Amino acid sequence: MSNNQFYLEFENQFRGKRKNVITTLYHYLGLIRTIKKINVNPSHLDIGCGRGECLEVCTNEGFNSVGIDNNQDMINTAFENGLNVIHGDAIEVLKTLPDNSFDLISGFHIIEHFTYETIISLLSECKRLLSDTGILLLETPSIDNLSVSSRLFYLDPTHINPINPESMLFYIYQLGFHKVKYFLINGGPLQLSSEHT
């Protein structure tokens, strides 16, 4: 089994079926629809698009969406679902894209796979590629969740870097983004439990 096929099977086993991942992305529909109200023909780039779940959600909402991934088996799944994907290294592909060309850039569970230097390069390219009203949306496992920081993060052998949200906010501000916020979402079954239990 190739590394690409191995990681696709890993995603299928541990991340879940495409349909379930798409359902979790509905948390972002308010943001996606707000961007669409501001931009007549919104453009979207999904970095590390994998099987294409976010591409599908945004395309269905009227975005001109394109994804980047370096795993050909993942890309084949996205192609089978009629999605637009570029095969290649994220940073190298980003460097080829024109300035101010996207209203939304997303990256779901990718930055924890990168070194500090690569994260800075990625953020710099995203800043260059975003339109004046563009939004960068990144989702990563939360180190504030004890189960994630002590066990689940290390389930994926390709994870390199647990992300501290405070340092990430600092990097993003330093690179010239105007507003930065982070939210804790998809918290699991204990998310709504009493703080005393």
Side-chain angles (χ1 to χ4, degrees), residues 95-151:
K95 289 177 181 177
T96 68
L97 301 173
D99 293 2
N100 307 312
S101 52
F102 296 100
D103 302 302
L104 172 63
I105 298 176
S106 57
F108 290 88
H109 293 262
I110 58 159
I111 57 175
E112 66 272 11
H113 296 265
F114 296 146
T115 63
Y116 162 80
E117 292 81 9
T118 304
I119 291 171
I120 297 302
S121 295
L122 178 93
L123 294 172
S124 296
E125 287 299 319
C126 288
K127 177 71 172 104
R128 179 183 68 77
L129 292 172
L130 281 170
S131 66
D132 290 340
T133 59
I135 292 177
L136 174 62
L137 172 62
L138 300 172
E139 184 178 290
T140 189
S142 173
I143 63 170
D144 292 324
N145 180 316
L146 293 178
S147 178
V148 169
S149 62
S150 65
R151 183 172 186 273

Side-chain angles (χ1 to χ4, degrees), residues 13 27 41 57 63 67 74 76 105 132 187 197:
Q13 174 73 34
H27 289 296
N41 187 23
V57 169
F63 280 69
M74 296 274 201
N76 291 342
I105 298 176
D132 290 340
T197 59

Side-chain angles (χ1 to χ4, degrees), residues 82-101:
L83 302 169
N84 184 14
V85 183
I86 301 168
H87 179 256
D89 174 81
I91 302 298
E92 295 309 312
V93 172
L94 293 177
K95 289 177 181 177
T96 68
L97 301 173
D99 293 2
N100 307 312
S101 52

Side-chain angles (χ1 to χ4, degrees), residues 18-177:
R18 285 187 84 254
K19 179 177 73 171
N20 295 342
V21 172
I22 286 170
T23 300
T24 64
L25 292 172
Y26 290 161
H27 289 296
Y28 298 107
L29 279 179
L31 175 64
I32 291 166
R33 289 175 178 164
T34 298
I35 294 168
K36 188 158 191 284
K37 286 179 186 174
I38 296 170
N39 301 281
V40 176
N41 187 23
S43 55
H44 165 234
L45 173 66
D46 190 31
I47 304 168
C49 65
R51 301 172 299 186
E53 295 93 345
C54 185
L55 292 174
E56 186 171 323
V57 169
C58 288
T59 298
N60 289 343
E61 289 293 321
F63 280 69
N64 179 18
S65 293
V66 62
I68 303 169
D69 209 285
N70 65 358
N71 183 313
Q72 189 62 55
D73 290 323
M74 296 274 201
I75 287 175
N76 291 342
T77 301
F79 282 150
E80 288 167 11
N81 287 283
L83 302 169
N84 184 14
V85 183
I86 301 168
H87 179 256
D89 174 81
I91 302 298
E92 295 309 312
V93 172
L94 293 177
K95 289 177 181 177
T96 68
L97 301 173
D99 293 2
N100 307 312
S101 52
F102 296 100
D103 302 302
L104 172 63
I105 298 176
S106 57
F108 290 88
H109 293 262
I110 58 159
I111 57 175
E112 66 272 11
H113 296 265
F114 296 146
T115 63
Y116 162 80
E117 292 81 9
T118 304
I119 291 171
I120 297 302
S121 295
L122 178 93
L123 294 172
S124 296
E125 287 299 319
C126 288
K127 177 71 172 104
R128 179 183 68 77
L129 292 172
L130 281 170
S131 66
D132 290 340
T133 59
I135 292 177
L136 174 62
L137 172 62
L138 300 172
E139 184 178 290
T140 189
S142 173
I143 63 170
D144 292 324
N145 180 316
L146 293 178
S147 178
V148 169
S149 62
S150 65
R151 183 172 186 273
L152 294 176
F153 183 85
Y154 302 99
L155 178 66
D156 187 332
T158 65
H159 283 177
I160 294 173
N161 190 13
I163 303 298
N164 184 304
E166 300 300 329
S167 62
M168 187 57 57
L169 291 177
F170 176 80
Y171 304 154
I172 293 170
Y173 271 124
Q174 289 300 309
L175 290 168
F177 286 82

